[in-house]
Amino acid sequence: MRFLPVNLNALLVELADLEQTLALLASLQRAPLPGVQELVPAARTILVRFRPAATSAAELVRQIAGRDISQRAERSSTLVEIPVHYDGEDLAEVAQILGITPEEVVRRHTGSEYTVAFTGFAPGFAYLSGGHPSLNVPRRSTPRTRIPAGAVGLAGSFSGVYPQASPGGWQIIGVTPLAMWDLDRAQPALLQPGYRVRFVDIATQSIADSEIKPTATGQKGPENAACRSAQALAPDQAALRVRATGLLTVFQDLGRQGQAGQGVSESGAMDQSALKVANRLVGNASNAAALETVGGGLQLQSLGETVVAVTGADAPLDLTTADGRRWSLPRHAPVALAHGDTLAVGQPRAGARCYVAVRGGFDVAAVMGSCATDTLAHVGPAPLSVGDMLGVRPASTSAVVGAADLATDDLPTLEQEVVLDVVMGPRTDWFTAEAIARLATQRWQVTPQSNRVGLRLAGELPLDRAISGELPSEGTALGALQVPPSGQPVLFLADHPLTGGYPVIGAVAPYHLDRAGQIPVGAWLRFNPIRPFAELSPSV
């Protein structure tokens, strides 16, 4: 085993092959280590996230290094058959690469039983191992911008099924009408780690399409607009009517933990401290759902009497009464709104995202245990639309309005460079010495293509790799600096994918993640490595 640093609360265990990875995963699941929060297995690695207050990287390395990985992981008794129309646009090309006929590709693909090795990339996406050994083909040199839901593909030695329409670089050989992901199921992901899978050629089997669930996506849309209509409110229930949404306003809480087995990352507020403060100001639990809005433009009209608080970015706040009077409101303070009052959030002077909490909390349904909206995975409530009626729950009689620190000196601005501390690893050694030095010495600008998935950065010179080979997909941490072939890094934020196939040169330290979530487009960054890259030794 190799042990590689990821962050101050995560490490990566690298093993020789998939069989060893699954054996170690089974061992860690049978006898969990204290302090471990989540395990994200991949082709040859396991990402281990832990609570630093409960354990340390050194202790975990010592414990994991002593695990027996000689035993093969037990296979599940669950077998899932996936019917496929083998008419994919890459079928002929795959056959040509392998030097066989398309019919032989189909015969080999249906002639073996697969195992769900791990999940990632998207909710419900499973990496299937154990197929015919000859079915080993490279990803497409140029990924497609859109692959349809239900597409069956090959990449390396893995097979997989796209649960929803998305970009991708796998070689597509067919499509299935079976739903890989369905939020109406108790277990939304059809394929779970360890499950056995067999593909069936619909053309040669007596399977009627009517016998198969008719949707390939299975993805129910985020919270229906009908849930935000006046008719959905209880009699005399207070609400906030959305008069304007700004660039993007979504519900967020502290995220959905423990869903890696479904291929779902945590999501949650980009600035978690600001979310907690907003809730504390109105007397809510710190993890209650609030509104996260980027830039200016959000307008909310109170229907009935409500108490709100706005935290996060330094943005001007205005109140307009029903009869047209207008005045400014304080940030980081509870504000009582009368019936008809409209709260408006202006363009931030510093920072990027504001958080709006309401006393009693928003009447919004949780999805997979959280009200967070994951914009990449399309899990959680839909973004706000003009006209939405956001119901407000009654406040607890024991709720106590809190106070908040008004300091905003560290909010990022366009005028000053933002400095983020970085932990080097896990793939720092995939880059040249010049590139490693350049990460810290060169400044990077946040481009307009940035969003909740990540900040796309542009520097004068790219980060050159010392190792040019393809990296098998592996778990990625919040704050990871992943470097695609362009050499221009992407800083992964709240809605980042669970796994990724490009090397990560370092990761923003956890205590600077809230700051990273407040960086506006156009700002300049510098990275400050807090220690040099070094493998973690079991002897430490």
Side-chain angles (χ1 to χ4, degrees):
M1 301 182 199
R2 290 179 73 206
F3 297 90
L4 305 170
V6 171
N7 215 323
L8 301 179
N9 57 2
L11 60 90
L12 194 72
V13 186
E14 182 181 81
L15 299 110
D17 52 34
L18 179 60
E19 188 171 320
Q20 283 192 0
T21 301
L22 297 179
L24 177 60
L25 177 65
S27 172
L28 294 174
Q29 290 174 333
R30 282 194 305 267
L33 293 174
V36 172
Q37 290 182 297
E38 192 166 50
L39 303 171
V40 182
R44 292 180 52 211
T45 60
I46 299 178
L47 177 68
V48 182
R49 291 181 54 247
F50 60 91
R51 296 194 318 277
T55 188
S56 66
E59 176 61 18
L60 289 175
V61 168
R62 187 183 69 80
Q63 293 275 1
I64 294 173
R67 291 296 177 102
D68 179 12
I69 57 173
S70 61
Q71 295 184 355
R72 187 181 181 92
E74 294 184 8
R75 302 184 70 195
S76 170
S77 60
T78 302
L79 173 64
V80 178
E81 289 195 340
I82 300 178
V84 180
H85 292 286
Y86 283 98
D87 54 1
E89 49 193 315
D90 297 324
L91 180 59
E93 184 176 338
V94 168
Q96 184 178 22
I97 292 172
L98 299 178
I100 56 179
T101 64
E103 292 75 18
E104 180 62 16
V105 172
V106 174
R107 190 190 69 78
R108 295 182 186 183
H109 196 248
T110 57
S112 302
E113 192 171 277
Y114 295 79
T115 300
V116 178
F118 57 96
T119 57
F121 173 68
F125 189 95
Y127 291 78
L128 308 177
S129 66
H132 195 284
S134 68
L135 296 182
N136 191 330
V137 295
R139 288 179 172 87
R140 292 180 57 82
S141 56
T142 302
R144 290 187 173 90
T145 56
R146 187 181 187 279
I147 289 178
V152 178
L154 305 176
S157 60
F158 291 104
S159 283
V161 183
Y162 282 78
Q164 59 191 32
S166 65
W170 287 41
Q171 305 279 5
I172 304 305
I173 61 174
V175 64
T176 177
L178 196 62
M180 296 293 107
W181 177 258
D182 189 341
L183 286 170
D184 281 347
R185 291 194 292 245
Q187 195 167 257
L190 179 66
L191 303 180
Q192 300 288 316
Y195 280 14
R196 296 152 50 221
V197 175
R198 182 176 292 277
F199 292 98
V200 178
D201 184 2
I202 291 178
T204 61
Q205 301 291 321
S206 57
I207 300 177
D209 284 348
S210 60
E211 298 173 0
I212 304 167
K213 192 162 184 177
T215 172
T217 67
Q219 168 71 54
K220 299 299 180 289
E223 184 176 297
N224 192 289
C227 298
R228 300 183 185 172
S229 65
Q231 290 74 23
L233 298 177
D236 300 322
Q237 182 180 11
L240 293 174
R241 175 191 284 134
V242 180
R243 302 292 298 272
T245 64
L247 292 176
L248 175 70
T249 302
V250 292
F251 282 103
Q252 294 297 338
D253 53 21
L254 298 183
R256 48 181 63 82
Q257 292 83 25
Q259 299 291 345
Q262 304 267 6
V264 177
S265 59
E266 287 189 15
S267 189
M270 296 270 274
D271 184 344
Q272 302 223 337
S273 294
L275 173 89
K276 294 175 184 177
V277 169
N279 277 314
R280 185 162 67 246
L281 285 167
V282 295
N284 293 344
S286 63
N287 64 343
L291 298 177
E292 177 186 275
T293 186
V294 62
L298 175 65
Q299 294 183 24
L300 302 170
Q301 183 179 42
S302 183
L303 302 182
E305 296 187 346
T306 58
V307 177
V308 300
V310 183
T311 61
D314 180 9
L317 306 177
D318 292 326
L319 183 150
T320 303
T321 64
D323 58 6
R325 290 173 296 154
R326 181 177 175 182
W327 61 83
S328 297
L329 294 176
R331 298 168 50 252
H332 286 203
V335 175
L337 301 180
H339 178 75
D341 287 352
T342 297
L343 167 70
V345 179
Q347 183 65 34
R349 295 173 287 249
R353 291 172 171 83
C354 289
Y355 293 83
V356 183
V358 62
R359 182 172 172 82
F362 289 100
D363 191 6
V364 57
V367 178
M368 299 180 70
S370 170
C371 296
T373 298
D374 188 326
T375 59
L376 177 67
H378 305 293
V379 176
L384 298 197
S385 298
V386 173
D388 283 351
M389 305 283 279
L390 311 180
V392 177
R393 292 171 177 160
S396 168
T397 55
S398 61
V400 177
V401 173
D405 182 2
L406 298 180
T408 58
D409 294 341
D410 61 346
L411 282 170
T413 67
L414 295 175
E415 292 74 30
Q416 294 183 320
E417 291 180 349
V418 183
V419 177
L420 299 175
D421 286 352
V422 171
V423 177
M424 301 304 290
R427 298 299 177 186
T428 308
D429 55 354
W430 276 54
F431 295 85
T432 65
E434 294 78 12
I436 296 170
R438 186 175 299 146
L439 177 72
T441 58
Q442 179 170 274
R443 67 178 192 161
W444 305 87
Q445 189 171 34
V446 178
T447 72
Q449 290 72 40
S450 302
N451 50 34
R452 281 183 50 87
V453 177
L455 299 182
R456 293 185 178 273
L457 308 178
E460 182 180 359
L461 297 174
L463 300 178
D464 301 316
R465 284 169 53 170
I467 300 176
S468 59
E470 189 169 324
L471 179 71
S473 293
E474 58 190 27
T476 54
L478 178 63
L481 284 163
Q482 190 183 72
V483 184
S486 67
Q488 302 290 352
V490 179
L491 169 52
F492 277 172
L493 295 176
D495 291 353
H496 73 278
L498 198 64
T499 60
Y502 297 130
V504 171
I505 192 172
V508 171
Y511 53 79
H512 275 173
L513 289 173
D514 285 349
R515 179 184 296 178
Q518 287 288 4
I519 299 174
V521 169
W524 290 91
L525 315 184
R526 285 193 186 274
F527 295 112
N528 174 46
I530 59 177
R531 62 191 183 202
F533 170 74
E535 291 187 31
L536 305 174
S537 171
S539 61
V540 173

